[in-house]
Amino acid sequence: MSPVILSQLHRTFRALSYPGFRIYAVGQLLGTLGFWLQTTAISWLVLELSGNSGTALGWTLALQFGPYLLFGLQGGKIADSFDKRRVLLLCSLGSASVTAGLAAVVLTGHIQLWMVYVGMAAFGSVAVVEGPARQAFYSELVDREALPNAVGLGSAIFNMSRIAGPALAGVLIALTSTGTVIVMCAFIFLGPALSCAVLLRRSLSNPVRRDAAAGGIRDALRYAAARPDIIAVLIVSLLVSGFTFNFALTLSMLARTEFETGADSYGLLLTALAVGALAGSLASGRRSTRPSLNTMLASSALLGVGTLLVGFAPTLWSAMALLAPTGFAMVYYAQAANQRVQMGVRADFRGRVLSLYMLVFLGSTAVFAPIVGVFMEVYGARAGLWLGGIVGIATPAALALAKRAQLKRRAALGDTAEAPVPALAGETASA
């Protein structure tokens, strides 16, 4: 193999040279596979129980991500205060327990829609703690220069599972039942717990020194409020995530009501989206510096265009063809936003600021998913995609215009200097 190819491979997968990251990655692969198996099975179960109600499916997503609105910042505080390996181990055991309880009522035939709602709210409550700890833990597994690659590979793992999970779930549901798939998920969720148990016996590459002077949640909010670059990420994430990142809702309705197909075709739609998302993960993982605001805005606008076009797709196969580039733009945008936060904050604030980002990124689904669900019931499944596409285009365009106006005002006042990024504790500030 030529040196050039070897160099490119090393650049794309350099985080795998860290033994701790390899162990963690195996656990995450199992955990995310279980997540996508469960997401597909639960979506189909809700449609069966509710008679194809988009509102019911929207409330399921709202209850799953709603805890981020209530406890998201507390989850970040826990991530900054305790050993992330122990936090993640307990969260994996909690997810397995919740899923096992839900599987029991499905298999015994006692399942009702309200039970699914309770189960998803409990699952989301565990994820409130697990999410910030998982995201912040990358910086302890690898050195700073490998952090963008670690985040990108983590996203690639998630999207490989997104490819395999829905397709596999569709086949398993057709051959067995939703209850069987949910039982499998309960066992699969033990994989991340095992990897964290192994990591507890190993030293970390870049352990965070917890600083008592870093304060609590209010200090983190003040820190983020003084950072226009972080505020810009939060504004775009609020609207784009809330209206556009509802593919579990919009695509299941599209498959069932517009294309009149089964769970296997819904799995194919999610798989097509995930193929593009995997490519976007690997492309974004090649970065070695903090992505620019323009990169984030441009990829968000492309996501909006792709989502809008999927809403006009006349057939299942044309929708699949359009979902691949849409998935690429989706993850390229999400990774640019994530990396701007990860590489732009102090290490001792990282968990709390990431929890604020995840509160906005995921919590917005709890606010807007029911609205999208009702919108689709009134105007059809395609309308949900059109709405997401328009918001995905308009939000970055508005922010870009606001930035341009600000630069003109500053130029008129003779102020052409860039606003400085505060130096990071023990790290070099990113321009």
Side-chain angles (χ1 to χ4, degrees):
M1 189 174 295
S2 71
V4 175
I5 295 177
L6 288 174
S7 176
Q8 292 298 320
L9 287 174
H10 175 73
R11 184 181 175 188
T12 303
F13 299 102
R14 60 186 177 277
L16 291 175
S17 63
Y18 295 82
F21 181 82
R22 292 198 298 269
I23 295 170
Y24 184 64
V26 172
Q28 287 301 297
L29 180 60
L30 291 172
T32 53
L33 178 63
F35 173 81
W36 281 108
L37 284 169
Q38 176 177 275
T39 297
T40 308
I42 292 296
S43 296
W44 212 250
L45 178 65
V46 168
L47 290 176
E48 290 176 347
L49 293 173
S50 65
N52 298 337
S53 171
T55 301
L57 196 55
W59 278 112
T60 304
L61 292 175
L63 290 168
Q64 180 175 348
F65 295 109
Y68 279 97
L69 295 174
L70 301 176
F71 316 114
L73 296 177
Q74 284 77 8
K77 184 177 180 180
I78 291 172
D80 279 340
S81 302
F82 299 98
D83 189 325
K84 297 179 183 61
R85 294 168 293 185
R86 298 185 187 279
V87 173
L88 292 168
L89 189 154
L90 292 174
C91 287
S92 295
L93 295 177
S95 296
S97 299
V98 171
T99 303
L102 194 58
V105 292
V106 174
L107 289 176
T108 56
H110 295 96
I111 186 65
Q112 297 182 39
L113 191 58
W114 68 267
M115 297 179 184
V116 179
Y117 289 161
V118 171
M120 289 298 95
F123 192 84
S125 298
V126 175
V128 163
V129 180
E130 186 268 345
R134 170 171 47 83
Q135 290 288 336
F137 192 39
Y138 289 125
S139 64
E140 299 190 41
L141 291 167
V142 300
D143 295 327
R144 179 172 171 77
E145 61 271 11
L147 180 57
N149 185 246
V151 175
L153 289 180
S155 179
I157 290 169
F158 184 80
N159 286 296
M160 283 195 305
S161 300
R162 192 200 293 250
I163 293 171
L168 180 60
V171 173
L172 290 174
I173 291 171
L175 294 177
T176 58
S177 66
T178 53
T180 302
V181 176
I182 297 172
V183 168
M184 292 174 59
C185 295
F187 286 100
I188 292 173
F189 283 137
L190 297 175
L194 179 60
S195 71
C196 289
V198 173
L199 286 172
L200 279 169
R201 299 176 175 272
R202 302 175 64 96
S203 59
L204 298 173
S205 296
N206 191 30
V208 170
R209 304 297 190 269
R210 294 170 180 81
D211 185 0
I217 293 173
R218 290 184 180 179
D219 300 275
L221 290 175
R222 282 194 291 267
Y223 176 80
R227 298 287 303 278
D229 57 329
I230 302 298
I231 295 298
V233 174
L234 297 179
I235 291 173
V236 177
S237 297
L238 173 68
L239 296 172
V240 174
S241 175
F243 284 100
T244 309
F245 278 62
N246 289 304
F247 291 111
L249 168 62
T250 54
L251 295 183
S252 59
M253 287 288 290
L254 187 71
R256 198 171 180 102
T257 62
E258 294 291 332
F259 299 143
E260 298 181 351
T261 53
D264 51 348
S265 295
Y266 168 48
L268 287 175
L269 288 174
L270 286 181
T271 299
L273 181 76
V275 168
L278 176 59
S281 302
L282 295 175
S284 62
R286 292 167 60 84
R287 295 189 186 111
S288 57
T289 59
R290 192 178 185 225
S292 68
L293 176 64
N294 288 338
T295 297
M296 185 183 76
L297 296 181
S299 53
S300 172
L302 290 174
L303 167 63
V305 171
T307 305
L308 189 65
L309 292 177
V310 171
F312 287 102
T315 65
L316 175 69
W317 299 108
S318 59
M320 288 175 62
L322 289 167
L323 280 168
T326 302
F328 183 98
M330 175 184 72
V331 170
Y332 205 82
Y333 152 70
Q335 288 301 94
N338 187 304
Q339 289 164 354
R340 280 186 67 77
V341 176
Q342 286 263 17
M343 301 187 71
V345 300
R346 281 171 41 182
D348 53 338
F349 276 93
R350 189 169 282 129
R352 281 164 291 168
V353 178
L354 278 169
S355 72
L356 177 61
Y357 164 70
M358 296 183 73
L359 183 154
V360 173
F361 189 84
L362 298 176
S364 59
T365 300
V367 176
F368 297 118
I371 297 174
V372 175
V374 172
F375 195 77
M376 288 194 297
E377 282 206 354
V378 176
Y379 299 106
R382 295 182 185 277
L385 291 161
W386 297 335
L387 177 62
I390 291 170
V391 172
I393 296 168
T395 301
L399 197 61
L401 290 173
K403 178 186 175 184
R404 184 178 179 182
Q406 181 190 40
L407 291 174
K408 285 185 175 180
R409 285 196 300 270
R410 289 171 61 185
L413 295 173
D415 179 12
T416 58
E418 289 280 349
V421 176
L424 311 184
E427 300 172 353
T428 303
S430 297

